[in-house]
Amino acid sequence: GNVSTNAEANVQHPLSGFELKAVLRESARDKTIFLHGKVSSGSENCNDAVIILEKTPFQMDTVSSLLKNDPELKLQLKNDIYGVYHLSPSPELNEIKTTVICPASEKHIKKYLQQEVYVIHETEDDYKAITLPYIESQSFSIQWVYNILEKKAEAERIVYENPDPTNGFVLIPDFKWNQKQVEDLYLIAICHQRGIRSLRDLTVDHLPLLKNILEEGKEAILKRYSIHGNKLRIYLHYQPSYYHLHVHFTVLGHDAPGSSVERAHLLCDVIQNIESNPQYYKTRTLTFALREDEALLKKFKELRDI
Amino acid sequence: GNVSTNAEANVQHPLSGFELKAVLRESARDKTIFLHGKVSSGSENCNDAVIILEKTPFQMDTVSSLLKNDPELKLQLKNDIYGVYHLSPSPELNEIKTTVICPASEKHIKKYLQQEVYVIHETEDDYKAITLPYIESQSFSIQWVYNILEKKAEAERIVYENPDPTNGFVLIPDFKWNQKQVEDLYLIAICHQRGIRSLRDLTVDHLPLLKNILEEGKEAILKRYSIHGNKLRIYLHYQPSYYHLHVHFTVLGHDAPGSSVERAHLLCDVIQNIESNPQYYKTRTLTFALREDEALLKKFKELRDI
């Protein structure tokens, strides 16, 4: 910051008169919390603020100082060679990154609000009665997918193509990947064939397509990025975010969003399941999670006991 | 811990004479660091120790105290309505979870070292020829599991027990969870029956056990933590980290480590697969990832083309 904002910060504490209104979201894994609060910003009115707190990563060069000279430890449990303690570090070794958005609008506050998530066990009947009608009634356009397949958009981004209209596909970097480092490599294979909505539609007829995606996708990634197929997580989503069959390729070391067991289905497992039971994905109860604000959840809540 | 271990901890500081040997692994996202160090454990010899430091998640009930009464803030940057600061909290509001494994063997130290990861597709034959002999030759002790089942350790931590020797289990918080907030709830159900090594051993004989774990586990968590079963991810690992059957319970909003599709198998899917094909897990090719340093990977590399 420059001198004037520094001076300002000294005069008026950015959290003066802080009062907590609500916890908007929290991540125990990331050690972050998003708060809605009121602060008095010097004027007589009390301002809405969004405050984001984040514990900071450990730094290699200071981590020793935390542990030397017998720091204060509280024993939590001991079993054989394992001991768990709580260590109270001196404040300068353990800062918290604090982001203050003030004044915050209604939009800012909503943006950070956590949605509740529910597990759904979708039977064959649920699919026919709830999910399929929902997909068919959806107004969500997948024109952008067709634009890619027809080279009307992103043609220069295509990494590989098998042009066969039935068993072919296009391989393209996902938007989430900036392509600057392979540590978080993320590509998508989009099939040329239209009308395969998801996992639920797959039968033995699609095995040649699925095997092409698996084998040719791995080859293309090895060739372009020098990442071997045995370093890749190759999977479908159920529910997918759009209902035109596509397959995700991510690297194993990277916990890509959507690679959790409640959403991802390994392509090699999908092929194996269809080979041993052609009706597998038609008849099976499929488990996935839906957020409170998703329209499909509303449908399940109306018609089933969630 | 009990009184005697507490007293012991007071006499001999578990980190006395700490000296850092190496940073084994680090995660900026998780705010964790894994260290190899030497500590002097009272005797003249200097012991190898693995020390795991983890910043703790924010707690809803104390987060206000961090922000009230104009805490010390260092301005990092200011732009329009956005300000970023470093806050130095008082130590008791910002503890670090510290796990000490001491004395640590070469195996323990290797376990936490960052490693390359490979996908393995384990056929039925691979299991019989490679994995099963490896498990049987292993020297890893699971005495700590038997200590829990026999109430010789952690008895006061048990959340629920079905004492049936064949179809019963113990439900206990996982070491990774500090039990202070339910946002990262993590419990483990450990079955009483011995000799079920993993998913591979499961048959229709185990359906009553698996259904007890699923249903009674959900009920116990609802009763104790007020978290409904439809908010839980309930799964087994393959490969597991120890070969005595256990099931993981984590909350959906939290991306628990090990919940990725290449390691986790939803318990409801496992039950469904066995019901529709009793030989499912005996005959199936199972896909998982192994780290460079894992002994099982070495076996696969010796005998197969990885």
Side-chain angles (χ1 to χ4, degrees):
Chain A
N2 58 35
V3 176
S4 73
T5 49
N6 260 325
E8 199 188 329
N10 292 338
V11 171
Q12 178 61 45
H13 194 284
L15 296 173
S16 76
F18 173 81
E19 211 182 301
L20 180 65
K21 305 300 286 181
V23 174
L24 299 172
R25 195 201 307 175
E26 206 242 336
S27 166
R29 175 170 175 187
D30 299 344
K31 283 82 183 182
T32 53
I33 196 164
F34 298 73
L35 306 170
H36 174 203
K38 294 266 186 189
V39 297
S40 50
S41 66
S43 65
E44 67 269 39
N45 30 5
C46 223
N47 270 317
D48 282 301
V50 169
I51 294 153
I52 305 168
L53 299 177
E54 182 177 3
K55 303 267 173 120
T56 47
F58 289 98
Q59 290 168 256
M60 304 218 183
D61 52 338
T62 57
V63 71
S64 271
S65 324
L66 286 170
L67 300 174
K68 280 184 186 278
N69 306 319
D70 297 1
E72 196 196 322
L73 291 180
K74 272 180 289 182
L75 181 68
Q76 304 298 304
L77 74 90
K78 186 113 183 71
N79 179 354
D80 192 32
I81 59 169
Y82 302 94
V84 179
Y85 307 87
H86 280 179
L87 187 157
S88 298
S90 47
E92 73 280 6
L93 290 173
N94 198 23
E95 292 178 329
I96 294 174
K97 183 181 169 191
T98 306
T99 304
V100 181
I101 305 170
C102 184
S105 66
E106 196 58 40
K107 244 187 199 167
H108 288 114
I109 294 164
K110 265 202 171 156
K111 177 179 167 184
Y112 294 109
L113 196 62
Q114 176 113 49
Q115 297 284 335
E116 284 239 55
V117 183
Y118 297 82
V119 173
I120 304 289
H121 302 284
E122 181 198 72
T123 63
E124 183 181 2
D125 283 348
D126 291 341
Y127 178 71
K128 288 180 188 158
I130 303 172
T131 309
L132 184 57
Y134 161 78
I135 297 168
E136 287 174 341
S137 73
Q138 252 202 137
S139 54
F140 259 136
S141 163
I142 47 172
Q143 190 54 50
W144 67 272
V145 174
Y146 299 149
N147 288 344
I148 292 172
L149 295 175
E150 293 166 3
K151 322 285 171 357
K152 290 180 185 161
E154 303 184 54
E156 71 294 347
R157 298 178 75 237
I158 292 177
V159 170
Y160 174 81
E161 178 175 16
N162 174 333
D164 187 277
T166 308
N167 296 324
F169 65 97
V170 156
L171 183 70
I172 196 163
D174 187 272
F175 282 118
K176 286 186 279 301
W177 184 37
N178 68 10
Q179 303 179 61
K180 291 201 174 156
Q181 61 289 314
V182 294
E183 281 68 25
D184 59 342
L185 175 141
Y186 199 144
L187 292 103
I188 300 282
I190 305 174
C191 74
H192 274 301
Q193 195 181 146
R194 298 192 184 185
I196 315 174
R197 282 168 292 237
S198 75
L199 213 52
R200 280 280 185 208
D201 285 336
L202 293 175
T203 67
V204 285
D205 296 341
H206 305 107
L207 287 174
L209 166 64
L210 297 176
K211 288 177 180 176
N212 285 348
I213 292 177
L214 184 62
E215 293 311 322
E216 295 170 24
K218 283 196 282 195
E219 269 167 48
I221 288 171
L222 178 59
K223 215 166 152 188
R224 171 73 70 97
Y225 304 104
S226 302
I227 297 288
H228 195 280
N230 67 14
K231 298 271 187 300
L232 296 174
R233 188 193 289 118
I234 306 171
Y235 54 100
L236 291 84
H237 277 162
Y238 194 76
Q239 298 291 330
S241 50
Y242 51 96
Y243 292 90
H244 174 106
L245 194 80
H246 58 283
V247 175
H248 305 254
F249 291 73
T250 62
V251 282
L252 275 181
H254 175 58
D255 285 340
S259 60
S260 292
V261 64
E262 71 272 17
R263 189 162 189 207
H265 297 257
L266 290 179
L267 180 54
C268 58
D269 286 344
V270 170
I271 292 171
Q272 194 179 180
N273 283 328
I274 295 171
E275 283 179 335
S276 59
N277 174 6
Q279 296 299 307
Y280 193 92
Y281 290 103
K282 296 245 179 260
T283 56
R284 194 140 156 113
T285 295
L286 290 174
T287 297
F288 51 85
L290 290 177
R291 288 198 323 272
E292 185 75 61
D293 61 339
E294 291 184 273
L296 184 55
L297 180 69
K298 215 170 290 166
K299 299 278 172 208
F300 268 92
K301 281 189 163 177
E302 279 165 26
L303 295 161
R304 297 289 184 269
D305 186 31
I306 303 297
Chain B
N2 60 35
V3 176
S4 73
T5 48
N6 261 324
E8 200 187 329
N10 291 337
V11 171
Q12 178 61 46
H13 194 284
L15 295 173
S16 75
F18 172 81
E19 211 182 302
L20 180 64
K21 305 300 286 181
V23 174
L24 300 172
R25 197 200 306 176
E26 205 241 335
S27 167
R29 174 175 172 186
D30 299 344
K31 283 82 182 182
T32 54
I33 195 163
F34 297 74
L35 306 170
H36 173 202
K38 294 267 187 190
V39 296
S40 49
S41 66
S43 64
E44 68 268 39
N45 29 5
C46 223
N47 270 317
D48 281 301
V50 169
I51 293 152
I52 305 167
L53 298 177
E54 181 176 5
K55 303 270 172 112
T56 47
F58 289 98
Q59 290 168 252
M60 305 222 180
D61 52 338
T62 57
V63 72
S64 272
S65 323
L66 285 170
L67 300 173
K68 278 184 187 277
N69 305 319
D70 297 2
E72 197 196 320
L73 290 180
K74 271 180 290 183
L75 181 68
Q76 304 298 304
L77 72 88
K78 185 108 184 71
N79 181 356
D80 190 34
I81 60 168
Y82 301 93
V84 180
Y85 307 86
H86 279 180
L87 187 157
S88 297
S90 48
E92 73 280 7
L93 290 174
N94 197 24
E95 292 177 329
I96 294 174
K97 183 181 170 191
T98 306
T99 304
V100 181
I101 304 170
C102 184
S105 66
E106 195 59 40
K107 247 187 198 169
H108 287 112
I109 294 164
K110 267 200 172 164
K111 178 178 169 187
Y112 294 108
L113 199 63
Q114 184 106 53
Q115 299 284 339
E116 284 236 58
V117 183
Y118 296 83
V119 173
I120 305 289
H121 302 285
E122 181 197 73
T123 64
E124 183 181 2
D125 282 349
D126 291 340
Y127 178 71
K128 287 181 189 158
I130 304 172
T131 309
L132 185 57
Y134 160 77
I135 297 168
E136 286 175 341
S137 73
Q138 253 203 138
S139 55
F140 256 135
S141 164
I142 48 171
Q143 189 53 49
W144 67 272
V145 173
Y146 299 149
N147 287 346
I148 291 171
L149 295 174
E150 292 166 4
K151 322 284 170 0
K152 288 180 184 162
E154 305 184 53
E156 73 292 349
R157 299 177 75 237
I158 292 177
V159 169
Y160 174 82
E161 177 175 19
N162 175 332
D164 187 277
T166 308
N167 296 324
F169 65 97
V170 156
L171 183 71
I172 195 163
D174 187 273
F175 281 120
K176 286 185 279 299
W177 183 38
N178 69 10
Q179 302 178 63
K180 290 202 173 159
Q181 61 290 310
V182 294
E183 282 69 21
D184 61 338
L185 175 141
Y186 199 144
L187 292 104
I188 299 281
I190 305 174
C191 74
H192 273 301
Q193 195 181 146
R194 298 191 183 185
I196 315 175
R197 284 168 290 235
S198 75
L199 213 52
R200 280 280 185 206
D201 285 337
L202 292 176
T203 67
V204 285
D205 295 342
H206 305 107
L207 287 174
L209 167 64
L210 298 176
K211 289 177 180 178
N212 285 348
I213 291 176
L214 183 62
E215 294 311 321
E216 294 171 25
K218 283 197 281 194
E219 269 168 49
I221 288 171
L222 178 59
K223 215 167 152 186
R224 171 73 71 98
Y225 304 104
S226 303
I227 298 289
H228 195 278
N230 66 15
K231 298 272 187 300
L232 296 174
R233 188 194 289 117
I234 306 171
Y235 55 100
L236 292 83
H237 278 161
Y238 193 76
Q239 299 286 332
S241 50
Y242 51 96
Y243 292 91
H244 175 106
L245 194 81
H246 56 285
V247 174
H248 305 254
F249 290 74
T250 62
V251 282
L252 274 183
H254 176 57
D255 286 341
S259 60
S260 292
V261 63
E262 71 271 17
R263 189 162 190 206
H265 297 256
L266 289 178
L267 180 54
C268 59
D269 287 344
V270 171
I271 291 171
Q272 196 180 178
N273 284 328
I274 296 171
E275 282 179 335
S276 59
N277 172 8
Q279 296 299 306
Y280 193 92
Y281 290 103
K282 296 246 179 261
T283 56
R284 185 124 166 128
T285 295
L286 290 174
T287 298
F288 49 84
L290 289 177
R291 290 199 321 271
E292 183 76 60
D293 63 327
E294 291 183 274
L296 184 56
L297 180 69
K298 213 169 291 167
K299 299 279 171 206
F300 269 91
K301 281 188 163 177
E302 279 165 27
L303 295 161
R304 297 287 184 270
D305 185 31
I306 302 298

